[in-house]
Amino acid sequence: MTSSTLTDIVIGLLVIAYSSSRQLRWRPVDLGRMLKLPLILGVLGVVSLARETTGVKPVDAAILGLSALLAVISGTMMGRIAVFRPSPADPRLLESRTGWAGIAIWFGLIVIRVALDVAGHHFGSELAVSTGTILLILAVNRVTSALVVSARQHRGRPVMAGK
């Protein structure tokens, strides 16, 4: 195991732990704030891919497409299960969280991504199994979830916690 691989694993575990903890905490429903982490992950992913990319093979395209689809589906699910409550600081504002069900969906995406990485490596994929791709997939998941939560907030009264 190289130091680069170990660094990637540590960064990945930190992102997973941070994102999982956010699923359990009440956070303001503010689209701008919700898009900060995905923006950072997306930029890091693009920069990483720019350094790693040697070309796109058909297997890369297939794995990337499937990964993006799964990221959108899981993000939509997470946005749909989010519960809301009035903010204790300002009851006119809403807060949301997905709880343990959100963490389960998040880990499901990670498990599927790992399986796709193993399959991709077996079929000679380099791009689809790179760190940059993983960061982009996580960014897509978080953007999708944020957009669904924001849309639910604006469509009318969302499902409130405890109701």
Side-chain angles (χ1 to χ4, degrees):
M1 181 178 297
T2 67
S3 63
S4 176
T5 303
L6 185 58
T7 301
D8 289 347
I9 290 170
V10 169
I11 290 170
L13 291 174
L14 288 173
V15 169
I16 291 168
Y18 178 73
S19 292
S20 294
S21 72
R22 289 175 53 107
Q23 304 307 313
L24 297 175
R25 289 186 303 209
W26 291 101
R27 293 171 297 139
V29 179
D30 176 357
L31 187 58
R33 286 181 65 178
M34 291 188 292
L35 292 177
K36 282 182 185 177
L37 177 62
L39 179 62
I40 293 167
L41 291 174
V43 168
L44 290 174
V46 168
V47 169
S48 179
L49 279 176
R51 287 191 227 165
E52 300 170 1
T53 302
T54 57
V56 180
K57 300 175 187 172
V59 67
D60 291 322
I63 291 174
L64 288 171
L66 183 57
S67 295
L69 177 64
L70 293 169
V72 169
I73 290 169
S74 61
T76 301
M77 290 170 60
M78 292 171 81
R80 297 280 300 146
I81 66 165
V83 292
F84 296 82
R85 75 172 187 187
S87 171
D90 184 354
R92 296 172 295 165
L93 302 176
L94 289 178
E95 295 179 337
S96 72
R97 71 176 180 183
T98 60
W100 289 104
I103 291 175
I105 294 168
W106 179 247
F107 275 100
L109 175 63
I110 293 167
V111 167
I112 292 170
R113 251 317 285 180
V114 169
L116 287 172
D117 281 356
V118 170
H121 185 70
H122 177 73
F123 290 109
S125 173
E126 295 172 16
L127 179 66
V129 299
S130 70
T131 302
T133 299
I134 293 167
L135 291 172
L136 284 175
I137 296 307
L138 296 178
V140 169
N141 169 272
R142 301 312 313 143
V143 164
T144 304
S145 179
L147 292 174
V148 171
V149 166
S150 181
R152 285 182 62 207
Q153 172 198 14
H154 294 296
R155 255 191 303 194
R157 186 180 166 104
V159 176
M160 302 300 264
K163 297 200 178 194

